[in-house]
Amino acid sequence: MVAALLIIWIGSNILSDGAFLTSRNLWNLSVQTSVVAIMATGMVLVIVSRNIDLSVGSMLAAVGMAMALLQARYLTDIFEIGSPAIWIIAILAGLLLGTLIGALQGTIVAYIGVPSFIVTLGGLLVWRGVAWWMASGQTIAPMDRTFQILGGGARGTIGGTWTWILGFAGCVGIVLLMWSRRRQRIRVGFTPRPMWAEITIGAIAIAVILGATAVINSYPMPEALARQYAADNGIAWPAEGLTIPLGLATPVLITIIVALAMNFIATRTRFGRYVYAIGGNPEAATLAGIKTRWTIVKTFALMGLLVGIAAAVQIARLNAATSGLGQLAELYVIAAAVIGGTSLSGGVGTIPGAVLGALVMQSLVSGMVLIGVDAPLQDIVVGIVLVAAVALDGYYRRRVTR
Amino acid sequence: MTTVETRTPLVEMSHINVAFGGVHAAEDCSIDLYPGEVVAIVGGNGAGKTTLIRCLSGAHPADSGEIKIDGKPASINNPRDAKAYGVETIYQTLALSENQDAPSNMFLGRELRSRWGTLDDMAMEDATRKVMARLNPRFKNFGVPVQSLSGGQRQSIAIAKAVYFNARIIIMDEPTAALGPAETAQVGELIVQLKSDGIGIFLISHDIHDVFDLADRIAVMHTGKIVGIVNKTEVTKDQILAMIIMGKESSQVTANDIEDLH
């Protein structure tokens, strides 16, 4: 998959005369991937447990609309404009609403026994309708100023210094993690990996993190914004201009945190293990004493929570909510998970895979835009890539297990 | 019952009824099990062997009837309850989570956790290695999904689970159905070993030879009822066969009946 990503990146770069591998495009790519990537991490667990959620795009619209209405209409009647209560309440309400919708759908799937395909197909219609009905189809804008930071616009970045700090923290984290794994293996008497292997893996990981940090930080603020920044911080504007890095965009930071948290849940907690067990063999999971139904409800609720996060990022980015928000997002999210190696027959799939899958798809779209491919042709290519990715994956898997 | 036992039975199931729709899958079945004893349950397809035993393993609670463990009434409504009473079940289908490795399967539902509440994979693998070293020293594939393991290896994971969690009552539903001759012999040795530890075993089997090799008593089921429970030493294989096929008690099986079988 990493190879596929590199091929797309290098290919797009050549065909677009070097417009793809620029810090500006990669920075934008990282922001554009966020919404799909956030939801794809949840979709992995849903699909691993042998279910599907077709309603995430519509849920995104309904939850986004609710958050927008709270900020633009209801809460401004209660609090002064600019009060922190507005964005805090709006976000919490959105996350809660997403979780509740997910839990409701999960309950119908697990306890009433309606197939998830049908429940969420119904949800796809219902929540889209609810989103329209909440504002009678109007576009709701603008969002709270602090809330807009979530969208990663001009002000929605953490700045160059913090980006470097985060990059270095990531490196330290990796080293600590590898060291503690190694110590654990020695403690229970397993032979640890040879030292040279540890160092090579660690070095590659650190190089990737620092490389990404450097790329992100090499995208400077546009001049108008830089002037504003200079004025705000009392820096005199030099004649040759200032190069101030924008730094990591907030949506990307959120995606990284979500992906780390979801990976932790999937691999280090009982809940995660049960999800994989249910996907591997539902009967065995029940016989092992796992509360399979409750686990299913939790996966859908978690999916709903992630839709809430994605909705906040999406409306903050657009600085508006419309009832058409997130149209077809369910398909992109499912495609990201599947391209990332999640098997629709259940039991198999990883969080990093899904994030990479989202990145592959967004890279493909972004690359074609830069090359100047017509929109209908873009869809055709994405569709073919999806099918080809799954076919190749299946072929490879069969060869490995044989 | 032909022997008089003075000890308390490990398990006493009395007057168990299970119906699926209008079909009585188990009707007024009573059976008991003593420590260190193997009781085989035999019968044709659909005789109700698995149904009866699923009441004890918690996979499908009985409609009526009573289960006593160590002489005390036990309420078993799901697999967790059964495990709390020390009942471990090795299912015919081997009930393993296909995409996960041996340690994950062994601890499924009872994972070891670190002091932060996270899964302690190292400790689980370590424990699995130790149990396996005793049961099946040739088992080395601890990191691969169990779907790529052989029937015997999968079986040893299922048995290791029962042993590790100190089961006192083990239910084996067709434990050798998926195995080759060498692996079957291995399971046989294991049963003898478990018996000597004082564990009681219910053995469900189609294979009358296995049953005669391993069991102390044999319960024959026919159309949901227990036809009779006999001591192995007091019957012949032919008599058991006649009981299975004709549903008659051992004393009513005549020479003529046996003649008809051949």
Side-chain angles (χ1 to χ4, degrees), chain A residues 181 184-185 188 190 264 267-270 273-274 276-277 280-281 284 286-291 346-348, chain B residues 59 79-80 83 91 95-100 104 108-111 113 118-122 124-126 129:
Chain A
R181 293 289 277 182
Q184 253 183 327
R185 286 192 77 85
V188 292
F190 300 160
F264 178 84
T267 58
R268 315 281 335 137
T269 67
R270 282 186 162 193
R273 178 136 308 171
Y274 293 169
Y276 283 83
N281 185 346
T286 313
L287 292 173
I290 293 171
K291 293 174 180 163
V348 179
Chain B
R80 280 188 299 280
K83 284 169 192 191
Y91 292 97
L96 295 175
S97 174
E98 299 295 336
N99 299 308
Q100 288 171 303
S104 304
L108 193 60
R110 287 175 288 199
E111 287 77 7
R113 287 185 289 176
T118 57
L119 298 177
D120 195 342
D121 283 324
M122 297 288 172
M124 287 194 266
E125 186 174 338
D126 187 39
R129 281 177 190 269

Side-chain angles (χ1 to χ4, degrees), chain A residues 87-297:
Chain A
W87 64 266
I88 293 174
I89 294 177
I91 291 175
L92 290 180
L95 299 186
L96 184 68
L97 181 65
T99 311
L100 286 178
I101 292 177
L104 171 68
Q105 296 188 147
T107 306
I108 298 173
V109 171
Y111 288 95
I112 304 180
V114 185
S116 57
F117 188 95
I118 302 300
V119 173
T120 58
L121 187 60
L124 178 137
L125 297 169
V126 169
W127 308 122
R128 179 70 61 196
V130 167
W132 194 93
W133 175 66
M134 272 194 281
S136 312
Q138 285 173 297
T139 298
I140 304 299
M143 299 301 117
D144 179 85
R145 265 182 77 76
T146 315
F147 185 87
Q148 285 178 33
I149 291 176
L150 292 179
R155 293 185 312 116
T157 64
I158 61 173
T161 319
W162 278 104
T163 306
W164 276 117
I165 292 175
L166 210 67
F168 284 118
C171 296
V172 172
I174 283 194
V175 171
L176 284 180
L177 203 69
M178 288 179 71
W179 180 69
S180 102
R181 293 289 277 182
R182 187 182 172 82
R183 221 184 37 162
Q184 253 183 327
R185 286 192 77 85
I186 293 171
R187 176 171 59 93
V188 292
F190 300 160
T191 33
R193 266 198 297 243
M195 208 56 199
W196 62 266
E198 301 264 26
I199 290 172
T200 314
I201 293 169
I204 291 174
I206 287 171
V208 168
I209 291 180
L210 292 183
T213 314
V215 167
I216 295 230
N217 267 351
S218 61
Y219 180 45
M221 287 186 188
E223 192 182 316
L225 204 67
R227 273 181 194 278
Q228 172 95 44
Y229 180 87
D232 288 352
N233 291 278
I235 307 169
W237 186 257
E240 70 276 10
L242 268 179
T243 327
I244 306 163
L246 265 175
L248 195 68
T250 329
V252 183
L253 179 65
I254 295 173
T255 307
I256 293 171
I257 295 169
V258 164
L260 289 176
M262 288 296 292
N263 195 44
F264 178 84
I265 288 173
T267 58
R268 315 281 335 137
T269 67
R270 282 186 162 193
F271 164 70
R273 178 136 308 171
Y274 293 169
V275 171
Y276 283 83
I278 291 169
N281 185 346
E283 201 197 347
T286 313
L287 292 173
I290 293 171
K291 293 174 180 163
T292 50
R293 293 175 176 197
W294 179 226
T295 307
I296 295 293
V297 173

Side-chain angles (χ1 to χ4, degrees), chain B residues 161-183:
Chain B
K161 197 170 177 172
V163 172
Y164 178 82
F165 288 102
N166 296 319
R168 297 167 52 239
I169 302 146
I170 296 181
I171 300 167
M172 295 186 175
D173 191 350
E174 301 280 358
T176 57
L179 304 185
E183 290 162 328

Side-chain angles (χ1 to χ4, degrees), chain B residues 138 152 176-189 207 210 213:
Chain B
R138 278 168 305 166
T176 57
L179 304 185
E183 290 162 328
T184 303
Q186 217 179 2
V187 172
E189 284 164 29
D207 188 334
D210 265 6
D213 287 345

